[in-house]
Amino acid sequence: MSNIDEIIPVAKTVLESLKKIVALFVKGHYVGAIKETFNLFKVAYINHLKGKYITLKGKKIPLAAVVGVAVIGLYTLYPAAEKPTVEAEKPKISEAEMVAQMNYYHYDDIIIDKMYKCQDAACGKLENTKDETIAEVVIPVAFFNKEGILVYEGSVRASNVPALETIDFKVPAQVPFEYFKLGVVSVL
């Protein structure tokens, strides 16, 4: 232990002390780095702050107290001045849009889209983009409750769909449901 009243000679510069502290942290010697940090503060206090005063309106205020208040003040202001980094917001999609995207079919010049829940059924549009009539299209739909449990499966057959025409379809469900999903469409 050293006497706190003695002046500690500054054998090394502050820069050397900081280099040593960083090297200790990098090597994983955390206790040694903390000890070196406290030694640096002790040397700074004894050599530069101890016994020094600031006179303000005739009152002597210890320089160590002024530095302490300044450090605490900066610490409390720092988080307020720091703006949290906000990640670029990802485009949000509503549940209805998500279900609508799952219930879309575009293959073999047939488009099935604009599906929605209508009076205990799934309704939508079937578009034939071919230049010829389609003999038959089977549109299967699975119906689910709030918990995501399959409660019913149904389908509808559209026959003799005219070329370049759009027709409405409706797949009724025999039980109440929360949402539905389009199944594997068959073109015959």
Side-chain angles (χ1 to χ4, degrees):
M1 298 289 294
S2 65
N3 186 357
I4 197 151
D5 293 330
E6 71 184 42
I7 294 178
I8 299 173
V10 181
K12 50 189 172 173
T13 65
V14 173
L15 183 59
E16 290 173 349
S17 294
L18 291 175
K19 285 181 182 177
K20 185 174 181 183
I21 291 168
V22 170
L24 288 170
F25 268 117
V26 169
K27 291 179 184 175
H29 301 287
Y30 302 114
V31 175
I34 291 171
K35 285 181 182 179
E36 187 67 29
T37 303
F38 282 118
N39 285 336
L40 179 63
F41 287 141
K42 180 181 173 186
V43 168
Y45 172 75
I46 291 174
N47 290 340
H48 302 289
L49 296 177
K50 185 177 179 192
K52 308 252 171 126
Y53 296 93
I54 294 177
T55 306
L56 187 66
K57 294 185 181 179
K59 294 184 180 180
K60 290 173 79 177
I61 301 171
L63 187 57
V66 172
V67 170
V69 169
V71 168
I72 291 171
L74 289 174
Y75 177 75
T76 57
L77 291 177
Y78 177 73
E82 180 182 296
K83 293 182 180 178
T85 57
V86 177
E87 291 183 22
E89 289 190 27
K90 296 178 182 174
K92 295 181 181 175
I93 184 169
S94 70
E95 188 174 331
E97 289 173 317
M98 184 174 63
V99 169
Q101 286 180 2
M102 289 188 308
N103 295 321
Y104 179 79
Y105 177 85
H106 184 215
Y107 190 71
D108 291 332
D109 295 323
I110 295 173
I111 299 173
I112 297 173
D113 67 348
K114 297 184 176 93
M115 292 184 69
Y116 60 96
K117 183 177 178 179
C118 62
Q119 300 175 352
D120 297 327
C123 296
K125 302 230 181 249
L126 167 64
E127 182 179 352
N128 179 3
T129 60
K130 286 184 178 182
D131 290 332
E132 56 190 52
T133 301
I134 297 173
E136 187 172 70
V137 178
V138 179
I139 305 170
V141 176
F143 298 91
F144 300 88
N145 65 10
K146 280 192 256 186
E147 291 80 32
I149 298 170
L150 178 67
V151 292
Y152 185 75
E153 290 180 312
S155 64
V156 66
R157 292 179 184 268
S159 300
N160 298 323
V161 180
L164 305 172
E165 291 283 327
T166 301
I167 60 170
D168 294 328
F169 68 87
K170 183 176 186 177
V171 181
Q174 302 296 323
V175 296
F177 66 95
E178 189 67 29
Y179 66 95
F180 59 89
K181 290 183 183 177
L182 181 63
V184 179
V185 177
S186 300
V187 179
L188 308 172

